[in-house]
Amino acid sequence: MRITAAEMLGVQVTPRTNWCFLLIRTDAGLTGLGECTLSGEEAGLAAEAARLGARVAGEDPLLRNRLCPAPPHAPGGLVAQTVHSAFEAALWDIAGQAQGAPVHRLLGGALRDRITLYANINRGASPRTPEGFAAAARRAVAEGFLAVKLAPFEPLIWLEAGGEARAQHAAYAEGLARIAAVRAAVGPDVDVMVDAHWRFSPGGVAALLRDVAPFGLFWLECPVAEANLPEIRRLRGMANERGMRLAGAETLSGLGAYRRMIEAGCYDVLMPDIKHAGGHEEIRRIAALAETAGIEIAPHNPTGPVCHAHSLHLCAVLPNLLWLEVQYGETERFFSLVEGGAALAFRQGAAAAPDRPGLGVALDETAARASPWQPQPRPWLDPRLG
């Protein structure tokens, strides 16, 4: 069996969201799927996929160790790392299809058949008022989720207050109001997490930790840029003193990047994303190193169904798994864009480990090509935040 082509297929699924998939085709008729969604970088992903296809054409897709060495210094940065991660995942899909076994069985077998999920309600909240966030949280809880996450602080960027200090203070107050509304909506028995999307300075987070303490957050996520490890460690201590965890590292790639975080004691919870971190094998190495430091793993998974399916296989085999993120309430295409999508259904805040060969789902290419990706003039996340 040989690889014949690699293609990035981008799909617009809502007016503000594109999902991107990597298709690895073989002369045996098998197609492996990975997801390489990276908002605003679709053209770069397509170019990187074309370079990958030229490099791996004619290769045996079962030789993952040879084809997927980790590229820690890829000139293409996160774009290249994301395509590399999708490629590694797609090769596992091909291997599973060839052997008639789900990916998690090839990874040594599932430790659990049921993966606990938490609902990221951020894109499903409309309007983006405290009441809109509260309503989204109530919908998630009604479907059985016992934990919800929101990113409440748009459009605040703490370090850029300048002459806009009054507007920044208003955005901060609105963020706190959104958190308060969600906590009131779900009650004390549902965990609430807050994603700060690197919007704060270390001093700003110190104030934030004080202000959110009454809401009993389970964790605060990505509060500051992840280059300043001593400050993150200090903030972790402050969070722990107030009864909450600190979580992050969703856009890092490779064991080396995570090793520095683990050795510095930055986070209680690491959030490697199978789209960026290097694929199944690299995240298993990251999780193993984290386990030696007592750190839990909660994979970042806020995009499309292919990333979700791969994340389910991964979560089935991680000993130190906490739970898995899902993008809740954004679009029903999450289930309809893939054949076998019913197997991805959320049931009482959990999902089953897939049991079909390979990834367990296949992309509906006809439906995908009917709505090609579109440039996003106003990206969801301010590009200044990374």
Side-chain angles (χ1 to χ4, degrees), residues 270-311:
L270 290 175
M271 305 178 67
D273 189 320
I274 201 164
K275 299 189 304 295
H276 310 311
H280 287 279
E281 288 282 32
E282 197 71 353
I283 294 181
R284 292 175 74 203
R285 287 188 279 265
I286 292 162
L289 184 59
E291 188 177 17
T292 68
I295 296 171
E296 296 169 302
I297 301 295
H300 186 245
N301 177 42
T303 51
V306 172
C307 178
H308 180 60
H310 274 296
S311 295

Side-chain angles (χ1 to χ4, degrees), residues 169-186:
H169 285 300
Y172 183 72
E174 178 74 358
L176 294 178
R178 290 163 172 165
I179 299 169
V182 168
R183 169 50 78 199
V186 302

Side-chain angles (χ1 to χ4, degrees), residues 7-282:
E7 177 190 4
M8 192 284 280
L9 178 54
V11 186
Q12 184 184 47
V13 294
T14 77
R16 59 189 179 189
T17 300
N18 296 316
W19 291 336
C20 296
F21 307 106
L22 184 69
L23 288 72
I24 304 298
R25 304 193 191 277
T26 71
D27 59 6
L30 302 180
T31 296
L33 278 178
E35 184 166 338
C36 53
T37 300
L38 188 59
S39 180
E41 302 297 337
E42 292 83 4
L45 294 167
E48 189 65 33
R51 285 192 287 269
L52 172 70
R55 178 172 67 83
V56 301
E59 298 285 353
D60 182 344
L62 300 183
L63 298 180
R64 286 183 307 278
N65 289 341
R66 180 182 299 174
L67 295 177
C68 295
H73 305 296
L78 189 57
V79 169
Q81 299 279 10
T82 299
V83 172
H84 166 83
S85 296
F87 179 50
E88 196 267 3
L91 294 187
W92 278 108
D93 184 16
I94 291 170
Q97 292 179 58
Q99 297 183 42
V103 168
H104 61 74
R105 189 169 301 168
L106 303 187
L107 294 171
L111 295 172
R112 56 188 67 83
D113 298 322
R114 181 179 181 275
I115 290 90
T116 302
L117 309 172
Y118 72 86
N120 180 337
I121 63 171
N122 202 44
R123 295 197 179 201
S126 181
R128 301 190 67 74
T129 60
E131 294 76 16
F133 276 91
R138 282 192 291 268
R139 289 193 294 271
V141 171
E143 291 191 22
F145 288 93
L146 296 178
V148 298
K149 184 173 82 179
L150 68 158
F153 288 110
E154 61 194 44
L156 181 149
I157 301 178
W158 193 273
L159 289 174
E160 296 191 2
E164 299 297 323
R166 184 171 298 174
Q168 296 283 59
H169 285 300
Y172 183 72
E174 178 74 358
L176 294 178
R178 290 163 172 165
I179 299 169
V182 168
R183 169 50 78 199
V186 302
D189 296 329
V190 173
D191 288 317
V192 175
M193 290 88 79
V194 166
D195 187 351
H197 277 149
W198 314 283
R199 293 179 180 275
F200 290 85
S201 68
V205 176
L208 174 63
L209 289 169
R210 176 200 64 209
D211 291 340
V212 300
F215 304 129
L217 300 186
F218 186 86
W219 77 41
L220 179 66
E221 176 182 331
C222 297
V224 297
E226 289 175 337
N228 193 338
L229 305 189
E231 281 297 329
I232 298 174
R233 180 176 181 173
R234 183 180 69 86
L235 293 169
R236 177 188 179 184
M238 294 177 65
N240 293 169
E241 289 171 358
R242 290 163 174 79
M244 71 188 85
R245 293 166 169 84
L246 205 67
E250 66 191 49
T251 59
L252 299 186
S253 300
L255 179 61
Y258 281 91
R259 178 181 61 81
R260 292 188 289 274
M261 285 275 175
I262 293 166
E263 291 178 349
C266 291
Y267 290 124
D268 300 283
V269 183
L270 290 175
M271 305 178 67
D273 189 320
I274 201 164
K275 299 189 304 295
H276 310 311
H280 287 279
E281 288 282 32
E282 197 71 353

